[in-house]
Amino acid sequence: MNKKTLGKLSMDSLTSTLTEEERKQLCGLLGNVELSLLYKASVHGYQASAFHQRCDRQGPTLLVAYNHSDYVFGGYTSVDYAQSGQYITDKEAFLFSVQDEVPLCIKVNSGSHARLDDAGGPNFGQQLYFCYNNQPVVYNQGGNAFSFDSDALYGDITELIECEVYKVKHILQVMEKPWSNVLWTADRRAQLMGLIRNHKTLVTSVSRVRILIIGPVGAGKSSFFNSINSIFMGRITSKAMSGSAGTSLTTQFRTYPVVDHHEGRLLPFVLCDTMGLEEQSGAGLDIEDISSILQGHIPDRYKFNPMAPFQHNERKASRPASLQEKIHCVVYVIDATKISLMSDKLEEKLASIRRKVNSLGIAQIVLMTKVDEACPLVEENLQSLYVSSYIKSKVQEVSSRLGVPVSCVLPVKNYSQELELELNCDVLLLTALQQMLNFADDYLDDAGHVEGNVF
């Protein structure tokens, strides 16, 4: 067996084949969990009966398989194995492979046929079978429950050298006191909306604060705009294209003013959306383009070219950008479920951007999205956000990895699948937006003094 150093986990005297790095990557996909080894095929046998004897009625489980090409892959299901003979609906199910620095994660397409819960070996979508016919093999029968390429998932090598199943226990740690005080009330929401509606910039030449939103593909940049727009429209909207595609759905530089539905006028800020960041060179948003955006050179609807940054001679006018046209606050959007999985390349890209933003003195904030997906406690009740020790640890991790103060990391939940507005979501989103306006004021105060001295 050409596996790396064996990781150690306490699990009924069984030894896990997972390395510590692999375990960390899998926990990054699952959240704050504890893994306990239930079944090890080399010890208990590859027979379906041995699997069910050890794994039935154990709650959420993670299956991990290993093949001769050193692929570590498998699947997660949140629903018990019970040999019911029924198709299992499980919207949490996913397939994975941890070959690379950032693991491959393939979520179930609909969830309605995530598994066939029969007496046979474990399967996902009645499509990918492990320990097929009681043999140390994986078998891809084909289907549409999961969309994956067998070569990418496991190198198309079907023979297994090991198959393990872990019980997944979500750790819900509740703190005695909230680490931040939030009023989850309709009055607080109304107060925040009033403060934002009536916000006046500190510089008379700037009528609206320009907020630039930057982040990796799929982190929730466009969703944040849609969420803010929804609050002030009084209903769920989807003006900016958003989703979870592998590459950026945003291909243009877009400036989105927001209209206050009740008063029928523009609000005093503009949200600027960009292509998503990607770790590869020649893909996603170029750092030189970000520099041009910050300094007010790139026009609305400019189409990005990842292979060639914006050229200044493309500007229609040669005059310097005014303070009104520049960016006044930069917001980095980071997915709370993927912080631990952030690659070194992406982290360095973000660091390069931060250095540039710092050199221009522009205010910076981190928006930590998908907090509900990161912590089951928060998923159950968003008001548990500030008593979740796990979310607090994620805020601290973001602070450390991006080099920003903890106070500048704001956890939120964007609207994604909801059909109606929710008070708790609104309070978090509006609190974050109000802080962005405050930070922009700090920048404008300094910039206004400089502008006043020049003129």
Side-chain angles (χ1 to χ4, degrees), residues 178-248:
W179 43 280
S180 184
N181 292 315
V182 172
L183 292 173
W184 306 95
T185 65
D187 284 347
R188 177 56 177 164
R189 174 172 59 184
Q191 181 189 32
L192 286 166
M193 291 180 76
L195 289 170
I196 292 166
R197 283 188 181 112
N198 299 316
H199 182 84
K200 296 283 191 292
T201 64
L202 297 176
V203 179
T204 55
S205 63
V206 176
S207 59
R208 289 198 293 276
V209 168
R210 288 169 65 87
I211 301 167
L212 177 62
I213 306 174
I214 297 173
V217 173
K221 297 184 297 86
S222 301
S223 293
F224 176 68
F225 164 75
N226 286 333
S227 298
I228 294 298
N229 196 49
S230 296
I231 294 171
F232 285 98
M233 279 294 289
R235 61 175 176 82
I236 298 294
T237 64
S238 186
K239 187 174 178 181
M241 189 179 295
S242 62
S244 55
T247 56
S248 181

Side-chain angles (χ1 to χ4, degrees), residues 82-128:
Q83 302 184 59
S84 64
Q86 304 295 314
Y87 283 107
I88 298 299
T89 296
D90 184 3
K91 293 182 179 180
E92 304 300 315
F94 62 83
L95 300 175
F96 68 87
S97 178
V98 291
Q99 273 299 101
D100 300 318
E101 187 177 0
V102 177
L104 174 67
C105 180
I106 301 157
K107 294 186 178 181
V108 66
N109 285 329
S110 70
S112 59
H113 286 70
R115 287 195 292 110
L116 176 61
D117 187 40
D118 60 8
N123 73 87
F124 289 84
Q126 204 179 4
Q127 180 179 355
L128 189 64

Side-chain angles (χ1 to χ4, degrees), residues 110-292:
S110 70
S112 59
H113 286 70
R115 287 195 292 110
L116 176 61
D117 187 40
D118 60 8
N123 73 87
F124 289 84
Q126 204 179 4
Q127 180 179 355
L128 189 64
Y129 289 79
F130 293 85
C131 305
Y132 185 66
N133 280 344
N134 300 324
Q135 298 297 316
V137 295
V138 61
Y139 174 60
N140 178 11
Q141 182 173 278
N144 54 21
F146 296 87
S147 301
F148 67 92
D149 175 69
S150 58
D151 188 58
L153 191 67
Y154 53 92
D156 218 12
I157 305 300
T158 58
E159 188 176 352
L160 301 179
I161 55 175
E162 186 62 274
C163 186
E164 299 173 332
V165 177
Y166 296 83
K167 180 182 177 69
V168 178
K169 181 181 178 183
H170 289 276
I171 303 170
L172 306 180
Q173 295 178 305
V174 181
M175 303 175 69
E176 289 185 12
K177 293 182 179 180
W179 43 280
S180 184
N181 292 315
V182 172
L183 292 173
W184 306 95
T185 65
D187 284 347
R188 177 56 177 164
R189 174 172 59 184
Q191 181 189 32
L192 286 166
M193 291 180 76
L195 289 170
I196 292 166
R197 283 188 181 112
N198 299 316
H199 182 84
K200 296 283 191 292
T201 64
L202 297 176
V203 179
T204 55
S205 63
V206 176
S207 59
R208 289 198 293 276
V209 168
R210 288 169 65 87
I211 301 167
L212 177 62
I213 306 174
I214 297 173
V217 173
K221 297 184 297 86
S222 301
S223 293
F224 176 68
F225 164 75
N226 286 333
S227 298
I228 294 298
N229 196 49
S230 296
I231 294 171
F232 285 98
M233 279 294 289
R235 61 175 176 82
I236 298 294
T237 64
S238 186
K239 187 174 178 181
M241 189 179 295
S242 62
S244 55
T247 56
S248 181
L249 290 175
T250 305
T251 58
Q252 296 179 321
F253 175 62
R254 292 303 317 272
T255 57
Y256 292 109
V258 179
V259 176
D260 181 13
H261 176 68
H262 293 289
E263 299 188 5
R265 63 183 176 89
L266 289 174
L267 289 162
F269 62 89
V270 175
L271 297 175
C272 303
D273 198 9
T274 60
M275 280 190 79
L277 293 176
E278 298 183 42
E279 62 176 54
Q280 310 97 306
S281 58
L285 188 62
D286 189 277
I287 292 177
E288 289 303 313
D289 282 336
I290 293 175
S291 180
S292 297

Side-chain angles (χ1 to χ4, degrees), residues 213-214 219-221 224-225 331-336 365-370 398 408-412 414 428-429 432-433 436:
I213 306 174
I214 297 173
K221 297 184 297 86
F224 176 68
F225 164 75
V331 176
Y332 305 96
V333 180
I334 303 295
D335 182 342
I365 280 178
V366 179
L367 209 60
M368 194 174 81
T369 60
K370 304 185 184 181
V398 170
C408 294
V409 182
L410 307 177
V412 297
N414 287 330
L428 278 181
L429 290 161
L433 179 57
M436 293 170 199

Side-chain angles (χ1 to χ4, degrees), residues 24-33 173 175 179 334-342 366-375 378 385 388-402 404-406 409-411:
K24 181 180 177 182
Q25 287 183 309
L26 291 172
C27 287
L29 293 175
L30 292 163
N32 193 27
V33 300
Q173 295 178 305
M175 303 175 69
W179 43 280
I334 303 295
D335 182 342
T337 68
K338 296 181 179 178
I339 294 162
S340 298
L341 306 176
M342 187 186 299
V366 179
L367 209 60
M368 194 174 81
T369 60
K370 304 185 184 181
V371 290
D372 55 321
E373 295 180 30
C375 177
V378 177
L385 177 70
S388 166
S389 60
Y390 181 69
I391 294 297
K392 184 178 182 181
S393 72
K394 290 287 121 179
V395 168
Q396 291 169 334
E397 187 176 354
V398 170
S399 169
S400 173
R401 296 193 69 167
L402 269 64
V404 298
V406 168
V409 182
L410 307 177

Side-chain angles (χ1 to χ4, degrees), residues 317-362:
S318 59
R319 63 172 177 80
S322 67
L323 188 57
Q324 165 83 13
E325 295 169 308
K326 294 180 180 180
I327 295 300
H328 312 130
C329 179
V330 172
V331 176
Y332 305 96
V333 180
I334 303 295
D335 182 342
T337 68
K338 296 181 179 178
I339 294 162
S340 298
L341 306 176
M342 187 186 299
S343 68
D344 292 340
K345 289 181 180 178
L346 186 57
E347 192 171 336
E348 177 52 39
K349 211 168 199 178
L350 284 165
S352 297
I353 295 167
R354 276 189 36 73
R355 286 193 291 270
K356 182 62 182 178
V357 177
N358 281 334
S359 72
L360 296 171
I362 301 172

